[in-house]
Each structure stands twice: as C-alpha cells, then as structure tokens.
C-alpha cells in the first residue's frame, strides 16, 4: 500500500521541492519591485554568461521548456562524475560544505522531474549517485557527531533528509533513501532546537548571515513542505 499520501503534505509530492506553485512564483517575479526586482533582473542577465548560466539555468528550466534539454545535460554530467570525487579533500575534510552543492543538484533534479524530463532508468541512476554520496559522506560523518547543533551538522542532516525524501519516497522508493530520510528527519528538529536563538554559532557574523540563517530557513521550509507543519513556530 502506498502510504505517502497519508505521511506527506500534498505540496511535497505534487510540486517541485522548495518552489511549490510554479505559476505563482513566476507571477511573483514578473510583478516584482524593489530589491527582488533587482535580483530577478540580475538572474536574467546571468543566463547570458556561460559560467553563471551553468549554475542558474535550472530555475529557468522550471519556467521555460526551451531550457530543459540543456539543464538535463548539465545535471546528467554532474551526477555521473559525483562518485569520482569521493577522495577529494573537500569531500573528505569539509563534507558539510560539499553537501550544500550536491543537495542543490538533487533538488534541481526534482525540478526537472516535475517537467517529466527523466526516464525511469535515469531516475534510478541519479538515485544511486545522490544516495551513495549521502550514505558514504553525510551520514557517516554526521553519525559520528555528538548531540549538538551547528551549521555543519545542520547541513549534513538536511542532505540526508532531502535526498532521502526525493529518492526514497517521491521520485523512487529506494531503500537507502528511506533510511537516510528517517535518519535526517530524526536529527533536524533537534538541531533547530539546540541551535542558539540568535543564530550566532561562535564563528563570526558572516556565518550568522550567510550560513546559519539560510540553513535554518531551508530546513524549516523543507519540514513545512513535507509535513505541513511550521516548525519554527513550535
């Protein structure tokens, strides 16, 4: 029996993760003013720059069918090279930093899946790559940590939960995905509760504004979309 409809909020299963209603988001950007308008205009300009385009194309692919083939090619190349980087210094010694860039690509994969851009074989191939990274690196490093909260633990737990959800429940039913999801979800609420209320983790103001705050926001938003509950208000 498929129990996903009882366990997860409809938004998590039916819409792109972290985007939700595509038409509503598109209308928000189109009617933006002030700082948001400036950000959106800069994003549009970035698509003309080859290097910036490689990083920003995925949102464009959510809005435009024309960008889908190129975006799929970039992601396909990314996940097929992921395993070869297992021994890189940043993966081994700064796992939590690399988790951020890899989990973004997993979310981009979901955005393109909402456009029916992947074959079943590609979904399973991507699942092996993203879940393999999660089990070998994020899970192994985080499970060796004690019960405390910081940006490193939050990043690794979020990776486990997001990738586990996508490939254990939403796009695939991979057993490793279900395992990582349960582990990540078991850590995230506790990490939010243990984190200092002012967002300062002892590493300087840059971490507070550029690392801790965004991580807390994305964690709370992921929990809200998957469970329908506002975790920061409880």
């Amino acid at each position: 029996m498929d129990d996903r409809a009882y366990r997860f909020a409809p938004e998590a299963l039916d819409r792109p993760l972290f985007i939700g209603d595509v038409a509503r988001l598109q209308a928000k950007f189109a009617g933006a003013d002030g700082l948001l308008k400036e950000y959106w205009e800069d994003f549009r300009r970035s698509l003309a720059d080859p290097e910036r385009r490689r990083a920003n194309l995925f949102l464009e692919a959510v809005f435009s069918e024309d960008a889908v083939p190129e975006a799929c090619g970039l992601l396909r190349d990314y996940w097929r090279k992921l395993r070869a980087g297992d021994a890189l210094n940043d993966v081994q010694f700064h796992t939590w930093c690399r988790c951020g860039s890899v989990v973004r690509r997993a979310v981009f994969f979901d955005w393109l899946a909402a456009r029916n851009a992947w074959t079943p074989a590609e979904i399973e191939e991507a699942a092996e790559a993203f879940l393999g990274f999660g089990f070998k690196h994020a899970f192994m490093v985080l499970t060796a940590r004690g019960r405390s909260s910081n940006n490193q633990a939050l990043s690794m737990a979020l990776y486990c939960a997001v990738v586990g959800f996508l490939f254990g429940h939403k796009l695939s039913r991979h057993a490793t995905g279900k395992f990582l999801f349960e582990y990540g979800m078991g850590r995230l609420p506790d990490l939010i509760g243990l984190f200092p209320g002012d967002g300062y983790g002892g590493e300087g103001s840059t971490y507070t504004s550029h690392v801790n705050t965004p991580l807390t926001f994305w964690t709370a938003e992921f929990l809200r979309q998957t469970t329908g509950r506002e975790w920061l208000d409880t």
Side-chain angles (χ1 to χ4, degrees):
M1 180 179 177
D2 189 344
D3 64 347
R4 291 178 299 174
Y6 299 97
R7 184 170 188 184
F8 300 111
E11 181 180 6
L13 297 173
D14 301 335
R15 294 175 173 175
L17 192 61
F18 294 122
I19 284 185
D21 189 328
V22 172
R24 182 180 179 184
L25 180 61
Q26 195 167 19
K28 180 177 181 178
F29 287 139
D33 57 14
L35 191 57
L36 180 59
K37 181 180 180 180
E38 293 180 25
Y39 285 150
W40 180 241
E41 290 174 347
D42 181 65
F43 169 81
R44 302 300 305 172
R45 288 191 295 269
S46 76
L47 298 177
D49 180 292
E51 287 303 311
R52 295 179 69 194
R53 180 179 179 84
R54 290 176 62 86
N56 293 340
L57 184 64
F58 305 102
L59 179 59
E60 177 68 7
V62 173
F63 298 144
S64 171
E65 188 71 34
D66 293 340
V68 170
E70 183 182 355
C72 285
L74 289 171
L75 267 186
R76 197 179 292 113
D77 183 63
Y78 182 87
W79 85 62
R80 288 177 176 172
K81 293 179 178 178
L82 194 56
R83 184 182 299 178
D86 280 345
L88 292 175
N89 283 341
D90 65 322
V91 175
Q92 291 293 319
F93 302 113
H94 296 277
T95 308
W96 43 93
C97 295
R98 179 56 78 91
C99 280
S101 63
V102 181
V103 77
R104 282 199 302 272
R105 268 59 176 203
V107 171
F108 296 157
F109 186 94
D110 180 56
W111 292 0
L112 291 170
R115 280 195 165 275
N116 297 313
W118 308 113
T119 67
E122 286 176 322
I123 291 174
E124 294 308 313
E125 181 186 349
E128 291 288 341
F130 288 113
L131 293 172
F133 182 93
F135 189 80
K136 288 180 291 185
H137 302 296
F139 169 72
M140 291 297 181
V141 175
L142 181 57
T143 198
R145 298 286 181 90
R147 186 174 181 261
S148 62
S149 184
N150 51 53
N151 69 82
Q152 297 177 9
L154 200 55
S155 175
M156 293 183 286
L158 185 61
Y159 185 100
C160 291
V162 170
V163 174
F165 168 71
L166 291 177
F167 296 107
H169 294 284
K170 185 176 183 179
L171 305 177
S172 178
R173 307 304 297 273
H174 203 293
T176 304
K178 295 178 180 180
F179 171 81
L180 289 177
F181 174 75
E182 295 298 335
Y183 178 77
M185 288 293 279
R187 296 293 298 266
L188 285 177
D190 192 48
L191 290 172
I192 291 177
L194 290 172
F195 209 93
D198 61 1
Y200 181 71
E203 296 176 284
S205 60
T206 300
Y207 270 84
T208 302
S209 62
H210 288 61
V211 180
N212 302 336
T213 299
L215 270 174
T216 301
F217 168 77
W218 290 119
T219 297
E221 182 62 11
F222 174 73
L223 292 172
R224 185 196 68 78
Q225 288 192 7
T226 52
T227 69
R229 176 180 169 187
E230 297 288 353
W231 287 78
L232 290 182
D233 294 336
T234 57

